[in-house]
Amino acid sequence: MSIAIPDACTLPTAERPLRLAEFDALFATAVRRADRVGPTRARLRLTGPAGLGATVRDLTARETACCSFFTFTVTPEPGAEGEALILDVEVPAQYADVLASLTDRAGTIAEGRRS
């Protein structure tokens, strides 16, 4: 399961596996659902312990710094325990394949945890 990394990404090649591992850990522990809302927009529903929102904001801010084509919006939701949030991800049309691979990866990893 690979993810498309466009030339526009400025993260040094040596750091990319570490960043991918951070996203994979988030997908494995917090993603409850990953949906493509359209070709250029995805929505991930996450739940986790207190501090999840700060973790997601930190990771997405660092990702936007090297891949400026991503727009991440974090919206808190009511949760019974810990934190619940929605992570909306948008990209320009030319990066729809990157978004599709990210969304598919999130869904596959999250589904594997529930199996």
Side-chain angles (χ1 to χ4, degrees):
M1 170 178 32
S2 65
I3 195 160
I5 299 176
D7 292 337
C9 179
T10 61
L11 187 68
T13 303
E15 293 180 32
R16 291 178 184 179
L18 300 173
R19 179 68 52 82
L20 188 56
E22 285 185 84
F23 272 103
D24 285 352
L26 179 68
F27 298 158
T29 60
V31 171
R32 302 299 174 245
R33 185 175 176 142
D35 297 305
R36 284 188 227 167
V37 180
T40 61
R41 186 165 172 241
R43 174 166 280 178
L44 286 75
R45 295 186 181 276
L46 300 93
T47 59
L52 175 65
T55 298
V56 171
R57 284 180 192 84
D58 174 66
L59 178 58
T60 57
R62 288 183 290 122
E63 186 63 17
T64 301
C66 63
C67 295
S68 60
F69 55 86
F70 278 119
T71 300
F72 296 101
T73 305
V74 178
T75 307
E77 285 197 311
E81 293 181 28
E83 291 186 44
L85 56 91
I86 294 174
L87 176 61
D88 287 308
V89 187
E90 294 186 62
V91 296
Q94 68 264 35
Y95 298 107
D97 60 332
V98 176
L99 180 65
S101 64
L102 181 75
T103 307
D104 290 347
R105 187 177 189 97
T108 299
I109 291 171
E111 186 62 36
R113 178 194 68 243
R114 291 188 294 265
S115 297

